[in-house]
Amino acid sequence: MPIPIRSCIACRKATNWRELLRVVEVLGQVTPDPDRRKGGRGAWLRRECLETAKQRKSFQRAFRTDANLSIDLLEKYLEELH
Ligand SMILES: [Zn+2]
């Protein structure tokens, strides 16, 4: 079985999806989906690329919106991993 490859939305680096965190957009919130089970459009991000994603507005691009997306949930999730 080939390993699924996904690209990080911030740096565009393609990698084994186990190294990426899936996030989905729920009511304007970028929401972590570590079990990869939530419906809807997913975006993939390396944990260390959060700052890059913020600077480049990668979430807006990935979710095809001009709206301001909150990343509070995502930041909280990543903080709690440490
Ligand atoms: Zn990246």
Side-chain angles (χ1 to χ4, degrees), residues 8-11 30 45-61 68-72 74-76 78-79:
C8 172
I9 60 168
C11 68
V30 178
L45 180 74
R46 292 197 303 162
R47 290 161 178 80
E48 59 269 37
C49 290
L50 178 62
E51 285 303 316
T52 307
K54 281 158 67 172
Q55 288 165 16
R56 296 187 182 171
K57 300 190 185 301
S58 301
F59 295 111
Q60 276 94 339
R61 193 177 312 121
N68 267 331
L69 298 173
S70 167
I71 58 166
D72 290 352
L74 176 60
E75 289 189 313
K76 188 160 183 287
L78 292 174
E79 273 169 24

Side-chain angles (χ1 to χ4, degrees), residues 5-81:
I5 299 294
R6 296 288 183 274
S7 293
C8 172
I9 60 168
C11 68
R12 303 279 170 177
K13 186 180 175 207
T15 187
N16 175 344
W17 69 348
R18 292 184 200 288
E19 294 172 27
L20 298 162
L21 173 68
R22 185 175 191 261
V23 296
V24 295
E25 186 259 318
V26 180
L27 302 175
Q29 298 250 22
V30 178
T31 305
D33 179 24
D35 298 325
R36 304 188 285 264
R37 288 182 184 156
K38 294 188 200 300
R41 172 182 295 276
W44 298 79
L45 180 74
R46 292 197 303 162
R47 290 161 178 80
E48 59 269 37
C49 290
L50 178 62
E51 285 303 316
T52 307
K54 281 158 67 172
Q55 288 165 16
R56 296 187 182 171
K57 300 190 185 301
S58 301
F59 295 111
Q60 276 94 339
R61 193 177 312 121
F63 294 119
R64 297 182 181 171
T65 178
D66 294 325
N68 267 331
L69 298 173
S70 167
I71 58 166
D72 290 352
L73 282 177
L74 176 60
E75 289 189 313
K76 188 160 183 287
Y77 173 82
L78 292 174
E79 273 169 24
E80 286 172 358
L81 284 183

